[in-house]
């Protein structure tokens, strides 16, 4: 989150200016875009009309080639002659071939010209590529629906079987003097080159958008691009029922000399339909709007970039002004952070701005008062903590020492000098561990030794057998814990857990493990004694041992660590002690003062 004042000032300035720039840029861009869009569309339509008019010359040349051959005097005489010898047939075939080749050579748009007739069906060897049987044409799937109602016309893109090329063809009937159909002339143009003449006319450097050529009846004769490359073509065209042609869908079929925006899959296209040319043919062009208005959008982006650069350049200036205005606040924030760390001698300088001067004066007064109060409170807490600790330790150690010395006295009466010596050694070790040079924490292994010494002494005293077990991982024994936290609970088990139970064996187990999240140590002391009375609580404890341990854990480790005592489901009492993990000796202020003493 943005929380610094000078950062907020900069952000607000940038945000307001960005909104203003965005509004101005958007309004300007919309106006400019609408204006230029109309101008570009009109210019493109004018160019398309010119292209359609120039393309009419190509269409006329191709049609003239077929018409010229059909009405040529040589062709008319050949098909009017009914008597024909083999030699005459060969001569006629050669004349037709020469005529076709001469016409094709004169028309650069024409790829090939073919004549289909049954005149030479009795002389099959006379047929070749230029002159073919009429059946080679009439058996085509597209032929009958195409020619049944016309004497001539255009065949849209189809595959030439002999040449294995895509062709667009002009087909013209050959009629004799009796108006009988005696053959057909087929003028072929490569489909891939049909509309490439637009480039040759210097109207376009290259054709990047699809063009569609419509004949007089609105049928599609040629296209420059495939439907896979421009799927939009599928949406604006449809087949003509009962014919081999396709045409524009009714929504666009009657358009002439117009442009219109169309949409497909969230993309916009500009549809242009030219005026009919001299042949009454129309040319259709489909242009992706993204490409058409790319330069316009680039101009809009340039305006936006210039505005962003202006904002970015203004940020250092605004930042500098904001830093100058908020400098006193920054100093005060730094001073407050030092106060958080306990440095109450921090003072801030006075400022000529009245509001800052009042804040600084009150801040200095506050730190002075806090320093005095903290010093007084720290002194009182130190005295109270030391008094409490000394009182707690003086309560537990003399009490245990008295009981132990009393046992030694009675053992000495039995003249068992060896047992007495062992007990004295155990007691000495317990006292050494318990005192620990004034340290409040000892290693867990030393705490376990302290408890073991106590158990060994009690084994000499008690009539029942004491089965004492320790289940603590070796890796935990080097951790530091508050001292004398196990012995008081073991003492309670022996003292209160078995006085009303007829048992020959006391079972006491100390178990150690890491807490569930490995953030503390859990030590468990369990016995098999009588257990706790119903509804027992810590307030029912009569001795000082339990309360002593709880107070020391809370004081040294924190209130979140404590002791929990409850009856085990299998009998006896379960004591759970939770303490933090210390891999090194904690060094508290109290310990430092003890060391100084």
């Amino acid at each position: 989150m943005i929380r610094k004042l000078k950062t907020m000032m900069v952000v607000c300035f940038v945000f307001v200016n960005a909104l203003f720039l965005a509004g101005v840029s958007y309004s300007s861009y919309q106006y400019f875009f609408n204006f230029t869009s109309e101008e570009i569309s009109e210019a493109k339509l004018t160019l398309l009309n010119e292209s359609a008019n120039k393309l009419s010359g190509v269409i006329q040349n191709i049609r003239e080639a077929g018409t010229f051959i059909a009405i040529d005097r040589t062709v008319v005489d050949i098909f009017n002659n009914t008597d024909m010898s083999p030699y005459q047939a060969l001569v006629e075939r050669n004349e037709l071939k020469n005529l076709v080749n001469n016409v094709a050579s004169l028309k650069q748009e024409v790829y090939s010209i073919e004549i289909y007739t049954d005149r030479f069906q009795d002389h099959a060897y006379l047929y070749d590529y230029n002159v073919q049987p009429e059946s080679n044409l009439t058996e085509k799937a597209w032929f009958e629906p195409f020619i049944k109602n016309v004497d001539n016309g255009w065949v849209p893109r189809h595959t030439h079987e002999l040449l294995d090329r895509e062709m667009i063809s002009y087909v013209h009937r050959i009629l004799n003097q009796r108006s009988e159909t005696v053959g057909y002339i087929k003028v072929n143009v490569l489909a891939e080159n049909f509309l490439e003449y637009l480039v040759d006319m210097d109207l376009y450097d290259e054709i990047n958008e699809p063009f569609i050529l419509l004949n007089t009846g609105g049928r599609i004769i040629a296209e420059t691009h495939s439907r896979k490359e421009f799927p939009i073509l599928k949406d604006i065209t449809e087949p003509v029922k009962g014919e081999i042609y396709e045409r524009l869908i009714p929504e666009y079929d009657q358009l002439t000399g117009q442009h219109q925006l169309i949409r497909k899959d969230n993309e916009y296209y500009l549809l242009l339909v030219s005026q009919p040319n001299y042949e009454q043919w129309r040319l259709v062009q489909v242009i992706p709007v993204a490409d058409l208005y790319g330069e316009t959008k680039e101009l809009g982006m340039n305006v936006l970039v210039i505005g962003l650069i202006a904002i970015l350049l203004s940020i250092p200036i605004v930042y500098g002004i904001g830093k100058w205005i908020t400098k006193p606040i920054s100093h005060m924030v730094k001073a407050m952070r030092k106060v958080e760390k306990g440095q109450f001698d921090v003072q801030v300088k006075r400022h000529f701005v009245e509001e800052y001067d009042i804040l600084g004066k009150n801040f200095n007064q506050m730190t002075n008062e806090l320093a005095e109060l903290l010093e007084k409170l720290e002194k009182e807490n130190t005295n109270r903590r030391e008094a409490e600790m000394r009182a707690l330790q003086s309560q537990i150690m003399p009490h245990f020492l008295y009981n132990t010395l009393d046992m030694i006295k009675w053992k000495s009466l039995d003249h068992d000098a060896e047992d007495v010596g062992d007990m004295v050694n155990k007691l000495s070790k317990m006292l050494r561990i318990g005192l620990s040079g004034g340290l409040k924490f000892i290693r867990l292994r030393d705490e376990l030794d302290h408890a073991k010494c106590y158990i060994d002494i009690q084994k000499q005293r008690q009539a029942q057998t004491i089965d004492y077990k320790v289940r603590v991982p070796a890796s935990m024994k080097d951790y530091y814990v508050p001292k004398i936290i196990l012995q008081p609970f073991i003492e309670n088990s022996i003292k209160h857990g078995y006085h009303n139970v007829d048992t020959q064996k006391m079972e006491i187990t100390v178990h150690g493990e890491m807490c569930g999240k490995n953030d503390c140590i859990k030590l468990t002391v369990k016995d098999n004694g009588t257990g706790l009375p119903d509804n027992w609580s810590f307030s029912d404890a009569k001795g000082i041992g339990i309360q002593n341990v709880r107070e020391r854990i809370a004081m040294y480790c924190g209130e979140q660590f404590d002791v929990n005592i409850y009856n085990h489901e299998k009998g006896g009492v379960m004591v759970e002690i939770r303490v933090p993990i210390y891999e090194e000796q904690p060094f508290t202020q109290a310990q430092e003062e003890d060391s100084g003493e």
Side-chain angles (χ1 to χ4, degrees):
M1 294 179 61
I2 300 174
R3 302 181 62 181
K4 291 188 177 181
L5 180 60
K6 59 177 172 290
T7 305
M8 291 182 181
M9 294 175 62
V10 174
V11 170
C12 291
F13 173 82
V14 173
F15 180 73
V16 171
N17 279 273
L19 286 179
F20 176 77
L21 175 65
V24 172
S25 299
Y26 180 78
S27 301
S28 302
Y29 176 76
Q30 285 295 108
Y31 173 79
F32 182 74
F33 181 80
N34 293 335
F35 174 78
T36 54
S37 296
E38 185 66 25
E39 292 298 318
I40 292 175
S41 299
E42 289 295 333
K44 287 287 184 180
L45 184 59
T46 300
L47 182 61
L48 188 68
N49 289 331
E50 185 179 352
S51 302
N53 289 332
K54 289 193 174 184
L55 195 61
S56 64
V58 177
I59 298 169
Q60 185 176 2
N61 283 341
I62 297 171
R63 188 174 59 232
E64 284 178 352
T67 304
F68 177 81
I69 295 174
I71 64 175
D72 184 83
R73 186 66 186 174
T74 301
V75 175
V76 172
D77 291 341
I78 289 174
F79 285 99
N80 284 332
N81 185 11
T82 55
D83 297 326
M84 179 178 57
S85 65
Y87 175 76
Q88 289 176 324
L90 179 61
V91 172
E92 291 178 359
R93 194 278 307 270
N94 289 335
E95 289 180 351
L96 291 175
K97 286 179 60 178
N98 292 333
L99 178 62
V100 165
N101 291 331
N102 290 336
V103 173
S105 63
L106 294 175
K107 304 290 185 180
Q108 62 176 359
E109 299 89 353
V110 175
Y111 183 80
S112 66
I113 302 177
E114 302 160 1
I115 295 179
Y116 295 87
T117 179
D118 289 337
R119 178 171 179 78
F120 306 111
Q121 60 184 349
D122 295 332
H123 310 279
Y125 65 91
L126 294 179
Y127 290 119
D128 58 10
Y129 170 75
N130 295 108
V131 181
Q132 302 181 37
E134 191 172 317
S135 60
N136 288 0
L137 182 67
T138 57
E139 291 177 357
K140 303 293 183 185
W142 52 264
F143 179 78
E144 185 174 352
F146 159 74
I147 203 68
K148 61 182 179 180
N149 296 320
V150 296
D151 288 336
N152 56 77
W154 290 84
V155 181
R157 178 187 290 262
H158 62 282
T159 302
H160 194 293
E161 294 181 355
L162 293 178
L163 301 176
D164 194 23
R165 300 289 295 272
E166 293 290 316
M167 299 289 184
I168 294 175
S169 303
Y170 174 76
V171 178
H172 196 291
R173 289 178 186 268
I174 301 176
L175 301 175
N176 58 17
Q177 292 181 345
R178 296 181 296 277
S179 297
E180 298 173 343
T181 300
V182 292
Y184 300 91
I185 300 171
K186 184 169 179 282
V187 183
N188 298 315
V189 181
L190 286 176
E192 60 192 42
N193 295 334
F194 194 85
L195 290 179
E196 289 295 329
Y197 292 106
L198 295 174
V199 178
D200 294 339
M201 297 172 188
D202 296 329
L203 295 174
Y204 304 93
D205 294 332
E206 55 182 348
I207 297 178
N208 296 320
E209 301 89 18
F211 285 83
I212 301 175
L213 184 62
L214 307 178
N215 67 5
T216 306
R219 272 65 171 177
I220 296 176
I221 300 301
E223 300 178 23
T224 57
H225 291 72
S226 67
R227 304 293 174 89
K228 289 183 179 180
E229 189 176 358
F230 284 89
I232 185 65
L233 299 178
K234 296 180 181 178
D235 295 344
I236 64 174
T237 60
E238 63 180 8
V240 179
K241 187 176 181 181
E243 297 184 14
I244 63 173
Y245 299 99
E246 289 185 339
R247 67 187 308 152
L248 297 180
I249 60 176
E251 182 179 355
Y252 310 123
D253 188 40
Q254 300 303 319
L255 296 179
T256 57
Q258 297 184 41
H259 57 80
Q260 183 174 335
L261 278 178
I262 58 178
R263 179 180 178 183
K264 176 179 174 57
D265 298 334
N266 295 324
E267 293 187 15
Y268 286 91
Y269 297 84
L270 179 64
L271 176 68
L272 302 167
V273 183
S274 72
Q275 295 282 0
N277 60 14
Y278 306 120
E279 303 295 325
Q280 297 303 305
W281 287 35
R282 289 175 297 163
L283 194 60
V284 179
Q285 186 179 6
V286 181
I287 308 175
V289 171
D291 298 335
L292 182 63
Y293 303 130
E295 294 183 357
T296 303
K297 291 183 178 180
E298 184 179 354
L299 180 61
M301 287 300 298
N302 290 336
V303 173
L304 181 61
V305 169
I306 292 173
L308 290 176
I309 292 175
I311 292 177
L312 292 176
L313 292 177
S314 66
I315 289 177
I317 300 174
V318 178
Y319 185 83
I321 296 174
K323 185 176 181 180
W324 178 78
I325 295 174
T326 61
K327 187 175 182 179
I329 297 179
S330 300
H331 290 165
M332 193 169 297
V333 170
K334 293 179 180 178
M336 288 181 178
R337 288 175 178 169
K338 292 181 179 179
V339 171
E340 290 178 357
K341 297 177 180 179
Q343 301 180 23
F344 296 103
D345 57 345
V346 179
Q347 298 287 301
V348 296
K349 297 180 180 180
R350 301 188 63 175
H351 200 272
F352 68 90
V353 178
E354 183 179 358
E355 288 80 0
Y356 290 154
D357 188 55
I358 294 174
L359 285 174
K361 186 185 298 182
N362 291 337
F363 177 82
N364 293 337
Q365 182 179 353
M366 177 194 69
T367 56
N368 291 333
E369 293 178 356
L370 283 175
E372 294 176 359
L373 290 174
L374 186 63
E375 182 180 358
K376 182 179 179 181
L377 182 61
E378 186 67 24
K379 187 175 181 179
E380 292 178 354
N381 286 340
T382 300
N383 294 335
R384 181 177 61 83
R385 184 170 62 249
E386 287 302 310
E388 290 175 351
M389 291 306 304
R390 296 181 187 279
L392 290 173
Q393 289 184 353
S394 64
Q395 287 176 351
I396 185 169
M397 293 305 296
H399 175 74
F400 173 69
L401 182 59
Y402 173 79
N403 291 336
T404 305
L405 291 176
D406 186 58
M407 287 189 295
I408 295 174
K409 181 187 72 172
W410 289 107
K411 291 296 287 184
S412 65
L413 293 178
D414 295 334
H415 305 284
D416 190 357
E418 183 177 351
D419 292 343
V420 172
D422 183 61
M423 292 176 67
V424 170
N425 287 334
K426 299 294 184 183
L427 177 60
S428 175
K429 188 174 182 179
M430 285 186 65
L431 291 175
R432 186 170 60 254
I433 295 174
L435 294 175
S436 302
L439 296 174
K440 306 301 186 295
F441 287 80
I442 60 175
R443 294 187 185 273
L444 180 56
R445 65 173 72 255
D446 295 331
E447 179 65 19
L448 294 172
D449 287 345
H450 183 273
K452 180 66 167 55
C453 290
Y454 177 79
I455 288 292
D456 290 342
I457 293 174
Q458 291 297 337
K459 286 181 178 180
Q460 299 294 330
R461 180 186 177 192
Q462 300 297 328
Q464 298 103 321
T465 302
I466 300 177
D467 183 8
Y468 177 70
K469 298 178 181 178
V470 177
R471 298 289 185 267
V472 178
S475 59
M476 291 176 53
K477 292 182 179 180
D478 287 329
Y479 293 151
Y480 286 86
V481 298
K483 64 184 178 182
I484 315 178
I485 58 174
L486 295 176
Q487 181 269 333
F489 298 105
I490 297 175
E491 181 180 354
N492 280 342
S493 295
I494 296 174
K495 184 176 179 180
H496 303 291
Y498 299 94
H499 63 283
N500 293 327
V501 178
D502 184 15
T503 179
Q504 298 297 319
K505 187 177 183 180
M506 299 180 186
E507 295 181 0
I508 299 175
T509 304
V510 176
H511 185 268
E513 62 180 348
M514 305 297 289
C515 297
K517 296 182 179 180
N518 290 333
D519 56 355
C520 67
I521 298 173
K522 183 172 73 173
L523 300 175
T524 305
V525 180
K526 180 183 178 300
D527 63 37
N528 62 338
T530 58
L532 298 171
D534 294 339
N535 299 321
W536 183 90
S537 65
F538 285 111
S539 61
D540 297 328
K542 297 179 180 180
I544 63 172
I546 296 176
Q547 191 63 24
N548 179 280
V549 174
R550 294 188 68 204
E551 289 179 359
R552 285 189 293 117
I553 290 176
M555 187 175 296
Y556 293 149
C557 305
E559 298 291 339
Q560 67 271 31
F561 300 99
D562 199 359
V563 177
N564 190 20
I565 304 177
Y566 55 90
N567 285 325
H568 195 269
E569 58 184 6
K570 295 183 179 180
V573 177
M574 177 76 78
V575 179
E576 289 185 355
I577 306 170
R578 295 178 184 268
V579 292
I581 299 173
Y582 291 119
E583 296 183 358
E584 297 180 357
Q585 173 69 253
F587 195 81
T588 63
Q589 184 177 355
Q591 294 169 7
E592 185 178 6
E593 292 179 0
D594 286 347
S595 300
E597 293 176 10

